[in-house]
Amino acid sequence: MPATSRAQVPAAERAYVLTKSLILSGQLPGGTLISEGEIAERTELSRTPVREAFLRLQAEDLLRLFPKRGAVVVPVAPGEAEDVLELREALEGAAVRRIARREEPLDDVVPVLAGLVDAQREPARTGDVVTFAEADTAFHRGIVAASGNALAERIYDTLADRQRRMVVQAVRPRPNLLDVLVEEHTALLDRIAARDADGFAETLRAHLDATHRTMTGR
């Protein structure tokens, strides 16, 4: 980040963005103990803005603070992961049912979603798990956005951080899964293009089962 840009970003925001990025990317896995001093050193900041950032991340359930000891990265609990998956199935399934009912052609939906699938191919090829997780989240969010239900879109956005973290956690130990996920996303897109809401729901369930539920044994 250029010096002029860094100066314009509040110190606490810089500490927050860096720490959150380390958590969501899996560089700080669940259960990791971190200190204010460690983040202060990375960001070249004092501990005061780092403390503010830690408090903010604790409010988001990403950190648990322990006075005079530091903070522990909160793992994604199996029960919470299942909650996220169930919400995703409900929101994405409802979105595709609404899309399928449209009388007009899906010319403003399918090409956009196809572009979001294409954006996954390069990180899948290079094994860039973090970038792939962002592209994965963008595709699934794009499905909900395409339905035109603004309320559902806002609710879905609250899952974004957990969704990205879960993708990184699922894919990092299984890098060969990246190409498989691109093909599964293509299959989901085909169901949308065919206005096959029931088929989409079945394909999405299988997709989430294979990617996430196999990791937790659910």
Side-chain angles (χ1 to χ4, degrees), residues 23-99:
I23 294 170
L24 297 184
S25 68
Q27 295 178 66
L28 290 176
T32 302
L33 177 66
I34 59 174
S35 67
E36 294 175 1
E38 178 185 347
I39 301 300
E41 184 177 348
R42 287 191 187 222
T43 53
E44 300 179 350
L45 298 170
S46 70
R47 294 193 179 200
T48 300
V50 174
R51 190 171 301 118
E52 293 178 26
F54 277 20
L55 288 169
R56 186 173 168 187
L57 291 165
Q58 179 174 245
E60 295 179 9
D61 294 325
L62 291 174
L63 288 180
R64 183 174 297 116
L65 305 186
F66 295 91
K68 299 182 180 180
R69 290 180 55 196
V72 171
V73 178
V74 178
V76 178
E80 178 182 296
E82 182 60 25
D83 290 345
V84 171
L85 296 176
E86 286 183 359
L87 274 174
R88 286 184 55 190
E89 286 188 66
L91 291 169
E92 293 182 45
V96 173
R97 285 194 296 274
R98 176 182 276 207
I99 291 169

Side-chain angles (χ1 to χ4, degrees), residues 132 167 170-171 174-182 184 210-212:
F132 182 89
V167 171
V171 172
R174 300 182 290 170
N176 60 311
L177 190 58
L178 291 171
D179 288 330
V180 174
L181 292 180
V182 174
E184 290 181 358
T211 307
H212 299 288

